[in-house]
Amino acid sequence: MIMPKKYWIPLVGLPVMILSFQNCSDFTVQQSIMEQSSMASGQSLLDSQELPYLTDPARGPLVRWYQQGQPSKVDKGYSGADKLSYVFAADRAMTGQLFAAYSGSAGAEETSVSVASGKITVNRIFSAGNSAQATVNVPALGQQMVIALRTGTKAEDFSLLVNGVVQTLTITKTGAPQEFSYVVKTLAAGTTGGKIYEYMVFNDRLNNAQLNSISRLIGTNNSISQVMFDPAIFADSSGSTSPTVDTKLAAAKVVIDSYCLSCHGAGSSKGDFSNMTAASMITRGFVKAGQPLSSSLYYRMKGTQGGGTKNMPDNGVSLSATQLQAVYDWISSIQ
């Protein structure tokens, strides 16, 4: 599709309109570049806030960090009992049990990750006949994979990432699974049919943003190119109560950076959104704390249902419901 672009040039004292043309596909390409840039910005923000804390055993929840062929970087006692997160890199072709946490015997209060017939299964066994489990596919590509799991007290308290991607879990319960007791667990890493190259264990319930950041760190350490940044991590507000990145701000920034910075970049007289914070947006009148429907940043994207007339972005693009919800949720969360 070809769209006309208007230019006015004075000729013999009269304005003459000359039409030039721009292929609409140019905008699609530019939009893709902007979205990739904003994703990189979100990833950088996440890592800069999370990794220094998560990799420091002196002030964070890290209790075990093993890399194959090297002395353990961290080897502290695990005392979480009711909360545990672990991330590990292993051969994609591995089968059998890859990782387990148990007390007493392997069948008592066990959390495990196993692989068989192209499926990854996370399992919680409390006693004979009482369990909860979920299964996802093994990645289709690569020689290695990175698996990250958060588990907590309740039977359904699973969160699983494979190569950084948040997995949709359908949890199947057998019998009447009970909550974990506060008994210290023994941790074991398996090596059936392949190798575990690196793993990190945390004495906490990390949220998906933290699990993704650690997954990419381990992926980089082991040259596993399939591990990626997944925007779905920002939908997870559960997990760690430790200091963490503002995931609602980060999710909103992905939208703002993609659709607004072409006009509202650094130094813009229209308003600089490039380093958006709650304080800066409130001070300049774009946001009212906790009131998205009264915030021009939101209603100018949403339209009349958002409290005012829609006129942004001014290139005619309408944001998706998910993108608008990210901005709405961030403004709502501001105190």
Side-chain angles (χ1 to χ4, degrees), residues 27 31 255-256 258-265 268-271 273 281 286 295-304 306 308-320 323-324 327:
F27 173 76
Q31 188 65 32
V255 178
I256 300 303
S258 293
Y259 293 92
C260 304
L261 289 193
S262 57
C263 293
H264 293 273
S268 171
S269 60
K270 301 176 182 179
F273 295 176
M281 298 302 274
F286 294 112
S295 299
S296 62
L297 177 70
Y298 178 73
Y299 68 64
R300 287 183 178 174
M301 295 177 176
K302 172 68 174 177
T304 53
T309 302
K310 171 181 167 56
N311 56 8
M312 294 294 168
D314 64 3
N315 53 22
V317 172
S318 292
L319 303 186
S320 69
Q323 291 165 331
L324 287 167
V327 178

Side-chain angles (χ1 to χ4, degrees), residues 7 29 48 81 99 109 111 130 155 161 217 231 281 287 296 307 313:
Y7 296 93
V29 172
S48 66
F99 207 97
E109 299 182 349
T111 297
N130 299 293
L161 279 68
L217 172 65
M281 298 302 274
V287 165
S296 62

Side-chain angles (χ1 to χ4, degrees), residues 238-272:
S238 60
S240 175
T241 56
S242 304
T244 186
V245 67
D246 183 345
T247 56
K248 286 185 169 60
L249 169 60
K253 271 186 64 62
V254 169
V255 178
I256 300 303
D257 289 359
S258 293
Y259 293 92
C260 304
L261 289 193
S262 57
C263 293
H264 293 273
S268 171
S269 60
K270 301 176 182 179
D272 180 0

Side-chain angles (χ1 to χ4, degrees), residues 52-244:
Y53 172 75
L54 292 174
T55 58
D56 183 355
R59 63 189 183 99
L62 177 64
V63 294
R64 195 80 54 84
W65 189 352
Y66 164 84
Q67 293 176 326
Q68 187 185 45
Q70 301 181 30
S72 293
K73 299 183 70 169
V74 178
D75 191 6
K76 298 169 59 178
Y78 166 68
S79 58
D82 65 323
K83 53 189 178 182
L84 170 67
S85 302
Y86 45 95
V87 185
F88 59 94
D91 285 321
R92 188 168 62 90
M94 283 189 72
T95 58
Q97 190 177 90
L98 277 64
F99 207 97
Y102 58 89
S103 61
S105 65
E109 299 182 349
E110 179 188 87
T111 297
S112 66
V113 177
S114 59
V115 177
S117 302
K119 302 288 185 181
I120 300 170
T121 299
V122 291
N123 203 17
R124 295 280 295 271
I125 301 174
F126 300 86
S127 59
N130 299 293
S131 65
Q133 69 176 29
T135 299
V136 300
N137 292 327
V138 169
L141 301 174
Q143 298 299 313
Q144 298 165 279
M145 59 185 173
V146 175
I147 297 175
L149 177 69
R150 176 187 78 219
T151 182
T153 304
K154 298 183 181 299
E156 63 274 14
D157 188 4
F158 285 132
S159 189
L160 177 68
L161 279 68
V162 180
N163 283 348
V165 179
V166 179
Q167 303 296 300
T168 300
L169 300 181
T170 299
I171 298 173
T172 302
K173 297 181 181 180
T174 301
Q178 305 163 3
E179 292 188 359
F180 263 24
S181 64
Y182 289 80
V183 178
V184 175
K185 310 295 187 293
T186 300
L187 308 179
T191 57
T192 307
K195 297 178 181 178
I196 291 180
Y197 296 88
E198 182 172 359
Y199 67 81
M200 298 174 74
V201 179
F202 299 89
N203 182 16
D204 202 352
R205 298 171 60 253
L206 303 189
N207 59 40
N208 284 346
Q210 294 169 319
L211 291 174
N212 177 269
S213 195
I214 291 297
S215 292
R216 287 184 289 100
L217 172 65
I218 289 181
T220 298
N221 290 346
N222 295 276
S223 301
I224 307 174
S225 60
Q226 289 78 20
V227 185
M228 65 183 64
F229 176 73
D230 181 6
I233 60 177
F234 294 132
D236 175 33
S237 59
S238 60
S240 175
T241 56
S242 304
T244 186

Side-chain angles (χ1 to χ4, degrees), residues 274-292:
S274 58
N275 291 303
M276 183 179 77
T277 65
S280 68
M281 298 302 274
I282 290 172
T283 299
R284 288 180 286 174
F286 294 112
V287 165
K288 291 186 178 181
Q291 302 179 58

